Amino acid sequence: MDLEDIPSEFVDRAIGPVTVLFGAKGGKYPHGNSLLVRGTNETVVIDPSLGIVERGGPAPPADRVLLSHCHEDHVAGAHLYADQPWHFHEADLPGIGSLDAFMAIYGFPPEVEAGFRRVALEEFHFTPRTDALAYQDADVFDLGDVQIEVLHTPGHTRGHSCFQVKWGNGSESLLYLGDIDLSSFGPYYGDAWSNLEDFERSLARVREVEANFYATFHHIGVLDSRGAFLERLDRYAAVIERRETRLLEFLSEAPRTLQEVAAHRFVYRPGDAVLFAEPVERRSMGMHIERLVRAGRVEELEADLFRAR
Ligand SMILES: [Zn+2]
């Protein structure tokens, strides 16, 4: 298919051996930005998103599919590569085996899950696959003069991983951050397979990675300098602290139940029409409460009633 046939909202950007295939709306959820990495021996597509489906025509050819993690928006275009191997971190791999296993990653209550099953199938083309392959931290995919190195960065999901693409004998690189998306929304750790403190350790880890370019799956897209990356990363990480500070304020006004905390909204804004806002608030802020209790800054007055000390 000719480049002119691609709708204008799907812009591509070439960086060394990497082509960033921007999704609709610059990759704002449910859309996302995929990467195509071409070496002399192999081409790899990373996180095939809805954009690859919606561009129409045949999907960009690739020899294998690398997934940063097993979430609906990241696997939305994977079905277009049914004949190629799919690779997930070993901790996320079970999630692609069936729709039930996929739902376990989120752990939504039944009434939310029923709707989300339909969304996963109809809007994100969820396609189970039992022969997907596992990768681990520090694994390297050698495409021939281009290497992709895995950094396991759990927190968003158990297996969430970043990929450092290196070329020019390792002199140049791009760090693909997946859903460490540097957005103003901040880190998302609201699923059953999420973990707040793992996320914080992963943020510290990616902060140390020297690269020429940094790319995210969602709307931030590509950052062209380490300075720009660090600025964004610090702002992004600060959202965690802001949620915790607001929570402490809320718990110092009066003792609250987790239900009241969730209803107050710390992750989403009050009134945001998000199907799964309630369970995500519960899980995310529950982890904050847990560690504040551990640190002696919040006490549990009776079962499920919390007050700041
Ligand atoms: Zn995700």
mmCIF file of all heavy atoms in Angstrom, residues 228-244:
data_model
loop_
_atom_site.group_PDB
_atom_site.id
_atom_site.type_symbol
_atom_site.label_atom_id
_atom_site.label_comp_id
_atom_site.label_asym_id
_atom_site.label_seq_id
_atom_site.Cartn_x
_atom_site.Cartn_y
_atom_site.Cartn_z
ATOM 1 N N ALA A 228 14.771 16.211 28.441
ATOM 2 C CA ALA A 228 13.308 16.244 28.307
ATOM 3 C C ALA A 228 12.688 15.026 28.987
ATOM 4 O O ALA A 228 11.638 15.111 29.626
ATOM 5 C CB ALA A 228 12.918 16.288 26.835
ATOM 6 N N PHE A 229 13.359 13.882 28.858
ATOM 7 C CA PHE A 229 12.869 12.652 29.483
ATOM 8 C C PHE A 229 12.852 12.788 31.006
ATOM 9 O O PHE A 229 11.856 12.483 31.663
ATOM 10 C CB PHE A 229 13.753 11.477 29.046
ATOM 11 C CG PHE A 229 13.590 10.237 29.885
ATOM 12 C CD1 PHE A 229 12.377 9.556 29.929
ATOM 13 C CD2 PHE A 229 14.647 9.736 30.628
ATOM 14 C CE1 PHE A 229 12.225 8.401 30.702
ATOM 15 C CE2 PHE A 229 14.499 8.590 31.408
ATOM 16 C CZ PHE A 229 13.288 7.930 31.446
ATOM 17 N N LEU A 230 13.964 13.256 31.570
ATOM 18 C CA LEU A 230 14.049 13.346 33.030
ATOM 19 C C LEU A 230 13.011 14.312 33.588
ATOM 20 O O LEU A 230 12.399 14.055 34.630
ATOM 21 C CB LEU A 230 15.461 13.780 33.449
ATOM 22 C CG LEU A 230 16.563 12.745 33.199
ATOM 23 C CD1 LEU A 230 17.925 13.296 33.612
ATOM 24 C CD2 LEU A 230 16.277 11.429 33.918
ATOM 25 N N GLU A 231 12.800 15.403 32.872
ATOM 26 C CA GLU A 231 11.812 16.381 33.323
ATOM 27 C C GLU A 231 10.415 15.751 33.365
ATOM 28 O O GLU A 231 9.682 15.873 34.345
ATOM 29 C CB GLU A 231 11.850 17.582 32.377
ATOM 30 C CG GLU A 231 11.067 18.772 32.870
ATOM 31 C CD GLU A 231 10.807 19.765 31.742
ATOM 32 O OE1 GLU A 231 11.732 20.014 30.942
ATOM 33 O OE2 GLU A 231 9.668 20.261 31.656
ATOM 34 N N ARG A 232 10.063 15.063 32.285
ATOM 35 C CA ARG A 232 8.771 14.389 32.202
ATOM 36 C C ARG A 232 8.636 13.286 33.246
ATOM 37 O O ARG A 232 7.594 13.104 33.867
ATOM 38 C CB ARG A 232 8.605 13.737 30.818
ATOM 39 C CG ARG A 232 8.212 14.687 29.734
ATOM 40 C CD ARG A 232 6.711 14.863 29.758
ATOM 41 N NE ARG A 232 6.305 15.688 28.644
ATOM 42 C CZ ARG A 232 5.060 16.112 28.470
ATOM 43 N NH1 ARG A 232 4.113 15.774 29.316
ATOM 44 N NH2 ARG A 232 4.759 16.866 27.442
ATOM 45 N N LEU A 233 9.711 12.532 33.399
ATOM 46 C CA LEU A 233 9.679 11.385 34.318
ATOM 47 C C LEU A 233 9.461 11.862 35.751
ATOM 48 O O LEU A 233 8.676 11.276 36.501
ATOM 49 C CB LEU A 233 10.984 10.591 34.197
ATOM 50 C CG LEU A 233 11.057 9.335 35.056
ATOM 51 C CD1 LEU A 233 10.071 8.267 34.563
ATOM 52 C CD2 LEU A 233 12.471 8.758 35.075
ATOM 53 N N ASP A 234 10.146 12.932 36.128
ATOM 54 C CA ASP A 234 10.016 13.426 37.498
ATOM 55 C C ASP A 234 8.614 13.966 37.759
ATOM 56 O O ASP A 234 8.044 13.764 38.830
ATOM 57 C CB ASP A 234 11.087 14.490 37.777
ATOM 58 C CG ASP A 234 12.483 13.862 37.869
ATOM 59 O OD1 ASP A 234 12.566 12.624 38.030
ATOM 60 O OD2 ASP A 234 13.485 14.594 37.763
ATOM 61 N N ARG A 235 8.057 14.620 36.745
ATOM 62 C CA ARG A 235 6.690 15.138 36.884
ATOM 63 C C ARG A 235 5.693 13.976 37.017
ATOM 64 O O ARG A 235 4.745 14.013 37.783
ATOM 65 C CB ARG A 235 6.345 15.985 35.655
ATOM 66 C CG ARG A 235 5.743 17.330 36.022
ATOM 67 C CD ARG A 235 5.257 18.091 34.812
ATOM 68 N NE ARG A 235 6.300 18.326 33.825
ATOM 69 C CZ ARG A 235 6.057 18.651 32.553
ATOM 70 N NH1 ARG A 235 4.809 18.753 32.122
ATOM 71 N NH2 ARG A 235 7.038 18.871 31.713
ATOM 72 N N TYR A 236 5.951 12.950 36.233
ATOM 73 C CA TYR A 236 5.092 11.752 36.223
ATOM 74 C C TYR A 236 5.160 11.041 37.579
ATOM 75 O O TYR A 236 4.139 10.692 38.172
ATOM 76 C CB TYR A 236 5.612 10.862 35.100
ATOM 77 C CG TYR A 236 4.948 9.541 34.873
ATOM 78 C CD1 TYR A 236 3.659 9.464 34.344
ATOM 79 C CD2 TYR A 236 5.631 8.345 35.124
ATOM 80 C CE1 TYR A 236 3.071 8.231 34.083
ATOM 81 C CE2 TYR A 236 5.057 7.116 34.855
ATOM 82 C CZ TYR A 236 3.772 7.072 34.335
ATOM 83 O OH TYR A 236 3.205 5.855 34.067
ATOM 84 N N ALA A 237 6.375 10.858 38.082
ATOM 85 C CA ALA A 237 6.556 10.168 39.362
ATOM 86 C C ALA A 237 5.931 10.972 40.496
ATOM 87 O O ALA A 237 5.432 10.396 41.476
ATOM 88 C CB ALA A 237 8.046 9.938 39.626
ATOM 89 N N ALA A 238 5.948 12.294 40.377
ATOM 90 C CA ALA A 238 5.420 13.158 41.443
ATOM 91 C C ALA A 238 3.918 12.972 41.637
ATOM 92 O O ALA A 238 3.377 13.297 42.692
ATOM 93 C CB ALA A 238 5.738 14.623 41.135
ATOM 94 N N VAL A 239 3.232 12.436 40.633
ATOM 95 C CA VAL A 239 1.786 12.202 40.755
ATOM 96 C C VAL A 239 1.511 11.201 41.884
ATOM 97 O O VAL A 239 0.537 11.336 42.621
ATOM 98 C CB VAL A 239 1.184 11.699 39.412
ATOM 99 C CG1 VAL A 239 -0.293 11.324 39.588
ATOM 100 C CG2 VAL A 239 1.337 12.770 38.325
ATOM 101 N N ILE A 240 2.399 10.232 42.046
ATOM 102 C CA ILE A 240 2.228 9.234 43.119
ATOM 103 C C ILE A 240 2.237 9.937 44.475
ATOM 104 O O ILE A 240 1.388 9.697 45.336
ATOM 105 C CB ILE A 240 3.351 8.176 43.060
ATOM 106 C CG1 ILE A 240 3.248 7.366 41.762
ATOM 107 C CG2 ILE A 240 3.302 7.260 44.289
ATOM 108 C CD1 ILE A 240 4.344 6.319 41.588
ATOM 109 N N GLU A 241 3.202 10.819 44.644
ATOM 110 C CA GLU A 241 3.327 11.544 45.901
ATOM 111 C C GLU A 241 2.119 12.450 46.138
ATOM 112 O O GLU A 241 1.630 12.588 47.260
ATOM 113 C CB GLU A 241 4.603 12.377 45.844
ATOM 114 C CG GLU A 241 5.174 12.695 47.196
ATOM 115 C CD GLU A 241 6.617 13.181 47.052
ATOM 116 O OE1 GLU A 241 7.370 12.592 46.248
ATOM 117 O OE2 GLU A 241 6.954 14.164 47.721
ATOM 118 N N ARG A 242 1.638 13.058 45.040
ATOM 119 C CA ARG A 242 0.486 13.954 45.175
ATOM 120 C C ARG A 242 -0.755 13.172 45.617
ATOM 121 O O ARG A 242 -1.514 13.630 46.463
ATOM 122 C CB ARG A 242 0.235 14.672 43.838
ATOM 123 C CG ARG A 242 -0.567 15.935 43.991
ATOM 124 C CD ARG A 242 -0.308 16.920 42.857
ATOM 125 N NE ARG A 242 -0.692 16.412 41.555
ATOM 126 C CZ ARG A 242 0.149 16.288 40.517
ATOM 127 N NH1 ARG A 242 1.407 16.660 40.634
ATOM 128 N NH2 ARG A 242 -0.280 15.825 39.371
ATOM 129 N N ARG A 243 -0.947 11.982 45.060
ATOM 130 C CA ARG A 243 -2.089 11.152 45.471
ATOM 131 C C ARG A 243 -1.977 10.825 46.965
ATOM 132 O O ARG A 243 -2.965 10.880 47.702
ATOM 133 C CB ARG A 243 -2.119 9.847 44.662
ATOM 134 C CG ARG A 243 -2.542 10.036 43.224
ATOM 135 C CD ARG A 243 -2.428 8.719 42.439
ATOM 136 N NE ARG A 243 -2.628 8.936 41.012
ATOM 137 C CZ ARG A 243 -2.082 8.193 40.054
ATOM 138 N NH1 ARG A 243 -1.297 7.164 40.370
ATOM 139 N NH2 ARG A 243 -2.312 8.465 38.787
ATOM 140 N N GLU A 244 -0.761 10.520 47.380
ATOM 141 C CA GLU A 244 -0.570 10.117 48.775
ATOM 142 C C GLU A 244 -0.786 11.294 49.730
ATOM 143 O O GLU A 244 -1.384 11.138 50.801
ATOM 144 C CB GLU A 244 0.830 9.506 48.952
ATOM 145 C CG GLU A 244 0.964 8.761 50.254
ATOM 146 C CD GLU A 244 2.022 7.652 50.190
ATOM 147 O OE1 GLU A 244 1.863 6.721 49.379
ATOM 148 O OE2 GLU A 244 3.002 7.746 50.932
#
